[in-house]
Amino acid sequence: MGAFALSSTDPVTPDAAEDLQPQRLHHWLDHWAQRQSDAPALQDERAALSYGALAAAVDAAARGLREAGVRPGDRVLGVGENCNAAAILVLACSRLEAWVSLVNARLSEREIDAFLEHSQARMVVGLGEASSEAVRHLQRLGGAPVRWPGAGEWLLAPGHPQALPEPVSESAADQVAALIYTSGTSGAPKGVMLSHANLLFIAANSRRQRRLTNADRVYGVLPLSHVYGLTAVLLATLSAGASLVLAARFVPEAMAKALVRDGITVLHGVPAMYAKLLEWGERPGNTLRAPALRVAQSGGAPLDQALKDRFERHFGLPLQNGYGMTEASPSICQTRLEAPRRDCSVGPPIPGIEVRVVDLQSRRPVPVGETGELWLRGPNVMKGYYRNLALTAETVDADGWLHTGDLARMEADGTLSIVGRSKELIIRSGFNVYPAEVEDVLNAHPDVVLSAVVGRPVPGNEEVVAFVEPVPGRTLDTEALRAWLRERLSPYKLPAQIVVMPQLPASATGKLYKQRLREQALQLSTSKET
């Protein structure tokens, strides 16, 4: 693809990479492998790779996949967890002009099979060295082991050998790089097609917003199979020539150790991770320090004020907030390092995109301060849903506006506050109840780690049901919790039922499975508390 270069005499600063114009995901790697071959690039539980070693491993994997039959335009389904091999697969597919679709190995056989069938992937790759679950999936699919220099041992299984490749385009905006399956969906899979231009735009934005340089050490526990982990963590790190410490799964103690041992300077996580990290740090005998940390970023789920305040008191630096969705690659809004906020606003829109807040009925923009559905338009908007033109047309209109389905409010200072999902809005006796508001109050209780609020239909109305996860080792008094809520919420917002669970169901990214909780709420009697 098109050549690009940055003089080796240029200083390595956050802005130095702006002269680069990569057209494919692997172009960042090619650049830094030439400029700083011996600098650290990736590290997982088994090995550390320099930029030169990573480039060699990507070349070897690309050759191996090509010899195994992967062609430009083919889909490649990667099954695994965060490890060096996952990053190598992403970059090798970019080099081959193939579409990569990373899925978490902890998914069920049914889910893996559904993604394989929908994507018509020519090849399934198991990243087994970091995941016994990946080994089981690939053995079931007839996978055979292969080993390529620097890439470790992989398992290859035929997917759909007769599947036709998709057309290949020179244009970074037209060529699909990744097929991301959205989490928490039911029914037929939704495969989001993201182009090289989509992903490169967000990676560059993430690099700028966090002011990444090649001196940074980024902690990568958010799954690379999720678009947040793929773009804002992996690709943004590589775009800056920085190094990424990969963790297969979130373990509070492991994150705490990495903050000190690995000199982590940039930390990404979902609110549930930060809540459990702080809870671990408050246990007797534990110490939670981050001597090199300069940026802490929250995303992937709503951030509540109590958690933000706790984090900032402990670490002495702002917990930045952001908002996005898979269909937007994913970033839409981001708080700024130079203007930290005390509230839980998601900040202004990222540079280079347009947003509007519209009335749900008329679809006309609403005044500042009023709630409506958030729409956006820009280079981060997906190409569409794979093999689903009708759903694509429903989500992205003829003028290029992506209808997020999220309820937002534009503030006078140009920042956005996310109120909730339009589909999650609870209408109680004619009044709107936004689950995030109730969750914010619940999470502020000292005995609550996490909460999730859902609606439950009852004859002629809808009621509020709250699921709460208590601090380990503590007994949660639901009557005391009700009193706490009555002091802080209007009567129509109060839960009809509070359900205490040892652990709320969540995805690998920490995103709560609210659909499961809605189903559970329907099965529970309103007259009985657990």
Side-chain angles (χ1 to χ4, degrees), residues 167-179:
V168 175
S169 173
E170 289 284 319
S171 166
D174 292 330
Q175 178 60 30
V176 173
L179 184 62

Side-chain angles (χ1 to χ4, degrees), residues 10-26:
D10 288 341
V12 182
T13 68
D15 296 327
E18 295 303 315
D19 291 336
L20 301 176
Q21 295 182 342
Q23 299 299 301
R24 295 294 187 262
L25 304 187
H26 64 276

Side-chain angles (χ1 to χ4, degrees), residues 246-262:
L246 288 166
R249 301 189 179 195
F250 170 69
V251 178
E253 183 177 5
M255 179 182 279
K257 289 181 177 178
L259 287 170
V260 177
R261 179 193 63 221
D262 296 315

Side-chain angles (χ1 to χ4, degrees), residues 25-339:
L25 304 187
H26 64 276
H27 284 172
W28 290 118
L29 172 63
D30 292 346
H31 166 71
W32 291 112
Q34 294 175 6
R35 185 185 181 99
Q36 51 175 36
S37 178
D38 295 331
L42 292 180
Q43 173 187 325
D44 64 10
E45 297 174 356
R46 290 160 184 77
L49 296 175
S50 67
Y51 271 88
L54 175 58
V58 169
D59 287 344
R63 286 194 301 272
L65 289 170
R66 185 184 299 112
E67 292 169 0
V70 175
R71 306 158 299 182
D74 278 337
R75 281 75 63 210
V76 176
L77 191 72
V79 182
E81 298 188 60
N82 280 10
C83 59
N84 291 345
I88 291 169
L89 178 61
V90 169
L91 297 165
C93 285
S94 172
R95 197 174 289 285
L96 291 173
E97 300 282 17
W99 301 14
V100 68
S101 183
L102 286 178
V103 296
N104 197 291
R106 282 175 276 173
L107 296 173
S108 68
E109 292 182 5
R110 180 191 61 80
E111 290 168 309
I112 296 289
D113 290 348
F115 296 156
L116 175 57
E117 180 62 29
H118 182 264
S119 67
Q120 291 288 290
R122 184 175 178 83
M123 184 73 64
V124 185
V125 178
L127 310 173
E129 285 189 338
S131 171
S132 58
E133 287 92 342
V135 172
R136 287 195 291 272
H137 280 300
L138 267 292
Q139 288 176 340
R140 179 176 63 86
L141 295 170
V146 296
R147 181 174 287 274
W148 296 314
E153 184 172 290
W154 298 14
L155 291 161
L156 297 187
H160 291 273
Q162 305 307 315
L164 297 176
E166 295 291 341
V168 175
S169 173
E170 289 284 319
S171 166
D174 292 330
Q175 178 60 30
V176 173
L179 184 62
I180 306 291
Y181 284 98
T182 54
S183 62
T185 59
S186 59
K190 286 201 303 183
V192 178
M193 296 183 291
L194 299 178
S195 70
H196 286 269
N198 289 153
L199 301 179
L200 291 167
F201 173 78
I202 293 300
N205 173 78
S206 183
R207 181 189 69 240
R208 296 186 200 105
Q209 296 301 326
R210 281 101 194 178
R211 300 176 184 171
L212 293 177
T213 74
N214 64 342
D216 277 308
R217 298 272 286 171
V218 182
Y219 193 65
V221 70
L222 293 175
L224 302 186
S225 56
H226 187 273
V227 68
Y228 183 1
L230 177 62
T231 54
V233 180
L234 172 63
L235 297 177
T237 301
L238 296 180
S239 78
S243 60
L244 179 61
V245 178
L246 288 166
R249 301 189 179 195
F250 170 69
V251 178
E253 183 177 5
M255 179 182 279
K257 289 181 177 178
L259 287 170
V260 177
R261 179 193 63 221
D262 296 315
I264 299 300
T265 62
V266 178
L267 182 62
H268 291 269
V270 298
M273 291 181 182
Y274 289 121
K276 294 186 176 183
L277 177 67
L278 290 169
E279 185 274 323
W280 179 90
E282 292 167 356
R283 297 178 190 173
N286 290 348
T287 302
L288 185 55
R289 298 188 304 111
L293 190 65
R294 65 175 189 83
V295 178
Q297 176 67 49
S298 179
L303 174 64
D304 66 82
Q305 192 67 51
L307 175 59
K308 177 176 169 67
D309 292 343
R310 283 176 62 209
F311 182 95
E312 294 178 350
R313 283 195 302 268
H314 188 97
F315 288 103
L317 79 164
L319 180 55
Q320 302 292 338
N321 198 14
Y323 157 76
M325 62 186 302
T326 303
E327 290 85 344
S329 308
S331 301
I332 299 172
C333 296
Q334 175 63 55
T335 57
R336 306 300 198 252
L337 296 187
E338 67 275 13

Side-chain angles (χ1 to χ4, degrees), residues 480-495:
L481 187 55
R482 287 187 182 282
W484 170 277
L485 293 170
R486 283 195 295 269
E487 293 176 0
R488 294 164 173 82
L489 292 173
S490 301
Y492 69 89
K493 299 177 184 178
L494 296 174

